[in-house]
């Protein structure tokens, strides 16, 4: 198990089922009370959704729901990083492994 996992994968570019699988595995690999950190560019889903096709809009909503669910279940903290170009949101999840 790992105390900390830092991930830079572009989750907004993956199908929701793959995103759920990746997060499930990372959380399984966390030690009790471990931390999982990842980032995403600020407002990607907000900007992508209006210009995307029907299928992609559906996927964006599913990805957003998954991110919110993880944050609720794992004491999620989000930090806007304006110094990044483009601005990003750093997310830290904390909690027991295997509960995704």
């Amino acid at each position: 198990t790992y105390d900390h996992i830092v991930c830079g994968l572009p989750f907004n570019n993956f199908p929701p089922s793959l995103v759920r699988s990746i997060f499930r595995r990372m959380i399984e690999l966390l030690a009790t009370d471990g931390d999982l950190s990842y980032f995403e560019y600020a407002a990607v889903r907000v900007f992508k959704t209006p210009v995307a096709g029907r299928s992609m809009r559906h996927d964006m909503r599913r990805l957003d729901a998954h991110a919110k669910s993880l944050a609720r279940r794992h004491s999620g903290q989000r930090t806007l990083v304006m110094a990044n170009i483009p601005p990003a949101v750093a997310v830290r999840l904390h909690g027991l492994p295997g509960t995704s």
Side-chain angles (χ1 to χ4, degrees):
T1 60
Y2 298 91
D3 294 325
H4 306 281
I5 295 176
V6 178
C7 182
L9 291 172
F11 292 114
N12 286 309
N13 294 329
F14 298 154
S17 59
L18 178 58
V19 172
R20 284 191 305 276
S21 294
I22 293 168
F23 272 101
R24 187 177 309 115
R25 185 65 179 138
M26 288 191 296
I27 290 169
E28 288 171 356
L29 291 171
L30 279 175
T32 301
D33 290 331
D35 293 313
L36 168 60
S37 298
Y38 69 97
F39 78 95
E40 62 183 21
Y41 296 118
V44 164
R45 289 188 294 272
V46 171
F47 291 120
K48 246 182 158 176
T49 301
V51 297
R54 182 182 211 175
S55 176
M56 186 179 281
R57 283 194 306 270
H58 177 71
D59 286 353
M60 291 290 114
R61 284 192 297 272
R62 289 177 62 199
L63 289 170
D64 192 53
H66 185 257
K68 288 176 181 174
S69 176
L70 283 171
R72 280 191 305 273
R73 285 185 277 158
H74 299 286
S75 303
Q77 298 172 323
R78 298 173 61 86
T79 305
L80 181 61
V81 183
M82 294 299 291
N84 195 70
I85 298 179
V89 176
V91 180
R92 177 181 171 257
L93 303 177
H94 181 81
L96 297 174
T99 57
S100 68

